[in-house]
Amino acid sequence: MPSRKDLANAIRALSMDAVQKAKSGHPGAPMGMADIAEVLWNDYLTHNPANPHWANRDRFVLSNGHGSMLQYSLLHLSGYDVSIDDLKNFRQLHSKTPGHPEYGYTPGIETTTGPLGQGIANAVGFAIAEKSLAAQFNRPGHEIVDHYTYAFLGDGCLMEGISHEVCSLAGTLGLGKLIFFYDDNGISIDGEVDGWFTDNTPQRFESYGWQVIPAVDGHDADAIRAAIEAGRANTEQPTLICCKTIIGFGSPNKQGKESCHGAPLGDDEIALTREQLGWEYGPFEVPEEIYAAWNAKDKGATAEKAWNETFAAYEKAEPELAAEFTRRMAGDLPADFAEKAQAYIQECQDNGETIASRKASQNTLNAYGPLLPELMGGSADLAGSNLTIWSGSKGLTKEDASGNYIYYGVREFGMAAIMNGIALHGGFVPYGATFLIFMEYCRNAVRMAALMKQRSIFVFTHDSIGLGEDGPTHQPIEQLASLRTTPNMSTWRPADTVESAVAWKAALERKDGPTAMVFSRQGLPAQVRDAQQLADVAKGAYILSDSNCTPDLILIATGSEVALAQDAADKLREQGKAVRVVSMPSTDVFDAQPAEYKQRVLPLEVTNRIAIEAAIADYWYKYVGLDGRVIGMTTFGESAPAGELFREFGFTVDNILEVADELLDA
């Protein structure tokens, strides 16, 4: 029977071999954390390699994702569909084993990690989802939601500010099934961290309300087991297990040094490491007895079978709840959602209210919320400004996790990354809000949502210089373009109540990526539409008003500038000009339409075009062409009332008329 050291050394050998073959990678962390991983995966982790999507599996996150060969080795050894050839193909094009763990590429990878600290935040999201689902669905004698979230993290993760944001909140929420393993090896890329990282990490986490188990020997299986037992025994607090490890453990000349952090060991050093570890096998060679000891297929199948029996009993006792749980974990919306949402959109058109689109968003939540128990809302301490609380919102707390609203506090980045974890876990559709300008604080998590194709819904209010007196620190300029140019991000900037309701419907129905919804602070007048125009809103852009002939000029606008474009068009038509107004609430949705539709809305032969948006001007040349004009922002804003700012920066009917005359006379 192989010893624990033999099992851990299989991880070390595979990791150093794969990094060496790829001629790039990070062998240090996998070699240093191999003993911790061996104990966790063989003695505690509940999972089924044959079904990586089993609902009640434990979630494992490698936040220090540069050590990806640790996770790939674990997946391969325990029986996932990750072959030895996949390991040999580490970091190669279209392989299952990219340089950092990527969700969707490799079975068993729960989230994409690499940007340090975000894996921690995703893990907090997993734990929040588990705790809330358990509170919503478990019944006495029927514990169908009951699993842990484990995460590995390093010094770099803890130096990133997001770690403070999310770990503070995790302690407040009492996430007792969240267990972190801190790889305290004292080394990062630049060398020994005591030159720049001297925090008292145990005290830091104790202040957050965590259980902290300090000074665990990360190479002693018994010490690791005792720490995990203590972590699992405490159901009131999350647990941080501080593991003292040696980076690159086993490498005679490089262990404990930064030289093994992010570069191959080299053939000579690998030979010495094999000798030091007593690993007598060649590159990528693992003996059958070690494979047999690692294989988790039988144990995983048994665990899932037992859960299936538990769920069958639950289904019999609580058939409606069981059906709801199955639907929500599949990510399907209620069967009648589309019909009821469309009826609400028609109601908005009939009512014709003049209100801020942030208020229209809240009204939509009040309409859609009762239909969607899977909605998990939140705001970064701006609920009263973002208007994200609806009549059925209930705060999620440590004592009562059955709520559907998270008070994130001033933690924009943490909020966005936690949302991604909630979305990845399943059972919820998360939305979270802040001002559009503070998208910058959560930018990388927004990008990760797009990269992972997750249904995270980002609500951004106070969308332009129209927020007024708070000034340029709070007035977004380039943020809309940043969102629109992010691959797989869908972005909506609605012009009124109808477009706001359509945007929410599109975001909720989208299963293959995130949506950013950008709402105004100031009131926006309702636009008149016929049935066809109402249907065309969902296509991202549509003809809102037109002349009775081929247009001389097309005005393209979004959000608060649509009404301005309409007013200018009326004046131009009075002058005998044929003008079309195109409202374009979502550029990416419009871009995805058939060529025939796009030609109908923006005919190529009409080259006189003006785009109007109180955001960075340069983005719009893709729609107006180099000969078109853009009335937009080319500088930062100023502090003044909104009306004065719109006049100052040219968002007036008179300026549009002047630009139109110049364009038509050219």
Side-chain angles (χ1 to χ4, degrees):
M1 184 72 180
S3 68
R4 285 195 177 277
K5 283 297 180 187
D6 291 333
L7 299 181
N9 286 340
I11 297 171
R12 295 186 172 103
L14 289 172
S15 296
M16 65 184 184
D17 288 343
V19 170
Q20 187 65 31
K21 186 174 188 302
K23 296 184 173 57
S24 74
H26 300 74
M31 297 173 73
M33 298 193 81
D35 296 304
I36 307 167
E38 187 278 320
V39 173
L40 175 64
W41 277 61
N42 281 325
D43 293 2
Y44 293 98
L45 193 73
T46 300
H47 62 121
N48 184 3
N51 183 11
H53 302 293
W54 169 36
N56 202 47
R57 68 192 181 278
D58 289 339
R59 270 62 169 181
F60 174 79
V61 176
L62 184 70
S63 185
N64 46 340
H66 53 269
S68 55
M69 268 310 305
L70 171 67
Q71 194 163 10
Y72 298 147
S73 299
L74 289 165
L75 293 169
H76 168 71
L77 290 166
S78 59
Y80 285 80
D81 184 17
V82 179
S83 69
I84 200 71
D85 286 335
D86 290 325
L87 301 190
K88 292 178 181 178
N89 212 21
F90 178 53
R91 286 184 162 231
Q92 305 309 301
L93 185 63
H94 302 314
S95 76
K96 279 186 182 178
T97 50
H100 290 81
E102 292 191 41
Y103 178 81
Y105 276 66
T106 319
I109 298 295
E110 300 285 3
T111 182
T112 300
T113 57
L116 293 178
Q118 282 196 68
I120 294 177
N122 297 159
V124 171
F126 285 136
I128 289 173
E130 189 277 338
K131 184 168 183 172
S132 186
L133 274 179
Q136 291 181 16
F137 283 97
N138 286 353
R139 295 294 182 268
H142 299 284
E143 305 290 319
I144 63 161
V145 181
D146 181 17
H147 55 266
Y148 285 86
T149 299
Y150 301 100
F152 283 7
L153 51 125
D155 291 302
C157 292
L158 291 178
M159 283 186 257
E160 289 286 359
I162 191 174
S163 68
H164 164 72
E165 294 184 29
V166 303
C167 294
S168 169
L169 184 60
T172 298
L173 294 178
L175 303 179
K177 289 187 176 177
L178 179 65
I179 299 177
F180 283 176
F181 297 82
Y182 166 33
D183 181 28
D184 183 9
N185 60 35
I187 297 292
S188 66
I189 291 175
D190 283 350
E192 296 181 7
V193 301
D194 58 10
W196 49 87
F197 184 54
T198 57
D199 302 15
N200 189 320
T201 298
Q203 285 186 5
R204 174 184 161 189
F205 275 76
E206 285 170 358
S207 77
Y208 295 152
W210 287 55
Q211 172 180 232
V212 178
I213 303 172
V216 174
D217 183 345
H219 303 296
D220 181 334
D222 291 338
I224 297 164
R225 277 184 58 88
I228 296 173
E229 288 289 343
R232 288 166 60 97
N234 186 340
T235 60
E236 298 300 313
Q237 296 173 288
T239 296
L240 178 72
I241 301 173
C242 301
C243 301
K244 295 296 292 184
T245 66
I246 300 171
I247 191 171
F249 182 93
S251 170
N253 298 302
K254 295 189 176 182
Q255 70 175 19
K257 302 175 182 177
E258 67 270 19
S259 57
C260 70
H261 171 88
L265 297 180
D267 290 330
D268 292 344
E269 186 66 15
I270 285 176
L272 292 173
T273 303
R274 279 185 154 76
E275 184 177 340
Q276 175 94 351
L277 295 173
W279 188 261
E280 301 173 351
Y281 313 102
F284 297 102
E285 183 183 343
V286 178
E288 284 304 316
E289 61 268 25
I290 288 181
Y291 272 128
W294 265 107
N295 195 312
K297 287 183 177 179
D298 289 345
K299 187 165 61 173
T302 299
E304 184 172 357
K305 181 174 181 290
W307 182 82
N308 287 338
E309 292 169 357
T310 297
F311 190 77
Y314 177 76
E315 200 168 23
K316 188 173 181 180
E318 304 282 353
E320 291 183 5
L321 279 175
E324 184 73 352
F325 179 81
T326 300
R327 177 189 70 78
R328 284 174 54 173
M329 290 304 292
D332 297 330
L333 297 182
D336 61 351
F337 172 73
E339 180 184 351
K340 290 183 176 179
Q342 198 59 46
Y344 175 71
I345 292 167
Q346 182 63 58
E347 182 183 322
C348 290
Q349 184 63 63
D350 295 340
N351 289 346
E353 282 187 284
T354 295
I355 55 174
S357 55
R358 61 171 175 162
K359 180 61 178 175
S361 169
Q362 185 181 49
N363 291 347
T364 303
L365 283 169
N366 275 309
Y368 295 172
L371 310 175
L372 300 170
E374 58 263 53
L375 272 184
M376 179 65 80
S379 174
D381 200 48
L382 287 169
S385 295
N386 300 145
L387 302 185
T388 44
I389 293 178
W390 57 281
S391 60
S393 293
K394 175 186 174 183
L396 187 151
T397 66
K398 177 179 180 178
E399 294 74 23
D400 182 1
S402 65
N404 61 359
Y405 193 89
I406 300 170
Y407 291 91
Y408 284 103
V410 187
R411 300 181 177 101
E412 294 91 350
F413 191 6
M415 173 185 71
I418 286 172
M419 286 166 56
N420 291 342
I422 292 171
L424 285 158
H425 181 281
F428 295 100
V429 177
Y431 69 90
T434 186
F435 290 173
L436 177 57
I437 192 68
F438 301 133
M439 185 274 289
E440 299 292 352
Y441 279 147
C442 53
R443 180 71 182 94
N444 200 256
V446 171
R447 183 179 188 270
M448 295 295 283
L451 185 65
M452 292 190 286
K453 302 179 179 179
Q454 290 305 296
R455 185 162 48 182
S456 294
I457 300 175
F458 302 103
V459 177
F460 298 121
T461 67
H462 296 60
D463 64 349
S464 73
I465 58 172
L467 73 88
E469 292 87 344
D470 277 339
T473 61
H474 284 54
Q475 293 165 6
I477 302 296
E478 70 276 25
Q479 286 68 33
L480 266 166
S482 177
L483 288 166
R484 287 170 175 153
T485 54
T486 301
N488 200 43
M489 171 63 68
S490 189
T491 303
W492 288 78
R493 185 176 183 238
D496 65 357
T497 57
V498 168
E499 290 188 4
S500 299
V502 171
W504 265 109
K505 181 174 182 286
L508 290 161
E509 291 179 338
R510 186 175 190 229
K511 295 180 72 171
D512 61 351
T515 301
M517 292 190 293
V518 180
F519 297 120
S520 73
R521 177 194 185 195
Q522 69 273 29
L524 306 181
Q527 299 298 324
V528 177
R529 300 173 185 84
D530 62 24
Q532 186 59 57
Q533 289 169 318
L534 187 62
D536 287 344
V537 174
K539 296 174 182 175
Y542 61 101
I543 301 167
L544 181 58
S545 67
D546 210 358
S547 300
N548 294 324
C549 58
T550 302
D552 302 316
L553 173 68
I554 299 177
L555 302 180
I556 308 169
T558 79
S560 53
E561 289 71 71
V562 169
L564 177 63
Q566 288 278 66
D567 291 343
D570 289 341
K571 293 287 187 183
L572 288 164
R573 290 176 192 131
E574 289 173 6
Q575 297 173 9
K577 296 180 175 68
V579 181
R580 171 176 295 179
V581 175
V582 171
S583 177
M584 192 177 286
S586 179
T587 59
D588 59 279
V589 172
F590 176 69
D591 290 346
Q593 298 305 310
E596 179 185 1
Y597 179 76
K598 289 188 285 188
Q599 167 66 13
R600 179 150 48 91
V601 175
L602 295 176
L604 293 174
E605 60 271 18
V606 182
T607 58
N608 292 323
R609 302 180 183 186
I610 301 173
I612 310 160
E613 186 177 60
I616 196 71
D618 286 355
Y619 176 82
W620 286 98
Y621 286 102
K622 68 181 286 189
Y623 297 106
V624 302
L626 295 179
D627 295 327
R629 300 287 188 272
V630 180
I631 298 174
M633 297 295 294
T634 57
T635 67
F636 295 115
E638 296 285 351
S639 177
E644 291 183 30
L645 291 173
F646 281 123
R647 287 191 294 274
E648 172 71 16
F649 291 102
F651 297 98
T652 64
V653 169
D654 287 344
N655 188 48
I656 296 172
L657 297 181
E658 185 177 325
V659 173
D661 287 343
E662 175 190 319
L663 182 61
L664 292 169
D665 291 343

